[in-house]
Amino acid sequence: MKANALTKPRTIFRQHWSCSKMPLSLFFSQFLMYKRTHLFSAACTAIFLFGIGLITLGAVLPSLKEKFQLDEVSAGALFSILPFGILMGSLIFGPISDRFGYKALLILSQLFMVAGFEGIAYAPSLGLLQVCVFLFGMGGGAINGATSALIADTSTYSKGSDLSLLGVFFGLGALSMPFITGLLKGYLSFVEIISAVGMITLLASLSLFLIRFPPPKHVQGFPLTKAVTLLKDSVIILIALFLFFQSSFEGIINNWTTSYLLQHKGIPENQALYALSLYLAGMTVMRFLIGTVFRKVVPHKLLLASLCLILAGCLILLISHSLTGAIFGLILVGAGLGGGFPIMLGYVSNRYADLSGTAFSFVLVVALIGNMLINYLMGWIAHKYGIHHLINVALAELACLGFLFILIRRRLR
């Protein structure tokens, strides 16, 4: 009985193998398919922690100003270090991941984030705090790009849908930090909460040693000549420009909506912040739907619908003066913006599968530059002409997105 029980699975395997005549490489590729769940879980955990970290600095800024006696200028300088760190991480992750693989890069990047969390919590001097903020930004920027490239490389059906699900976890991380601090406020200080998140990030980093990652794409050396051709590819240039305006659109909504609702619409600050959180919720829910319910919908149709949602949301924000209208408009804008990055990065990965990391680096750096430049421009417009021009700037950006979408669609045909 025991012998039969042991040999029966082997017999079934041999029968299945002989009947199906499945090639050996295909069998092992299907067997290793289940490893993708490990990679996806690791990527989602990393991007979730990055989402928490991006919200952390703004939330802890009042405490940091008091601890280090910072004025508004010094506080603004501290804020400016973070995007430069993210820009640096976004610039270097692509060539490193293509040449050496993802494993070491993600481990090191998460350790940089640990240094950032612990530095924000316990740094004894302003100089060390600035270094820790930069390290956090560089690690987070690398994680933001490398996890997207990793998911795109290992996706088998719809890269845009899988990237959308990854984006869900970033949104959950950004939304969870206020909830976590509110829940634990009576038990732990903010410093202790940030330190605990740092320790969780450390554990997540160490867990990557146990996961098998795809091998590097270019073990023999980085193909510099082919990487240069990215700059000559009109489709990649157009996608980078699309993400330039997509990222800056997200940036001005994140950074200026509260002031717009408070100063122009007369909505109290706490209600304006609530409306902004629902904007993030709308983006997160839409990315979840793209990754699940709308998984089989053609990407360009999803993107066209997304642009229409943004237009509807902007028009509601323009004409409405109530909190209900502001919430509805922001939810629509957030939902519309949810598809831009996943769909465009899916296009990039399909076009440069053997150089996806470097291609992602290029378009993400352009996107971050757009975020920084248009946010600066919005600040100048708000100071010179008034915050009520926020929606006008948003509509101008939407027109650029629509025009670039048409050009990209024609080139991809």
Side-chain angles (χ1 to χ4, degrees), residues 120-131:
I120 292 172
Y122 298 115
S125 65
L126 179 60
L128 184 57
L129 174 64
Q130 291 171 335
V131 171

Side-chain angles (χ1 to χ4, degrees), residues 1-7:
M1 291 293 293
K2 291 183 179 179
N4 291 337
L6 289 172
T7 56

Side-chain angles (χ1 to χ4, degrees), residues 312-361:
C314 286
L315 293 178
I316 291 173
L317 285 171
L318 187 66
I319 64 177
S320 175
H321 289 271
S322 66
L323 176 63
T324 302
I327 289 174
F328 187 49
L330 284 170
I331 289 175
L332 289 179
V333 171
L337 289 171
F341 267 97
I343 291 172
M344 286 298 165
L345 291 178
Y347 286 152
V348 172
S349 180
N350 286 330
R351 197 168 183 84
Y352 285 94
D354 61 335
L355 210 63
S356 59
T358 303
F360 274 36
S361 268

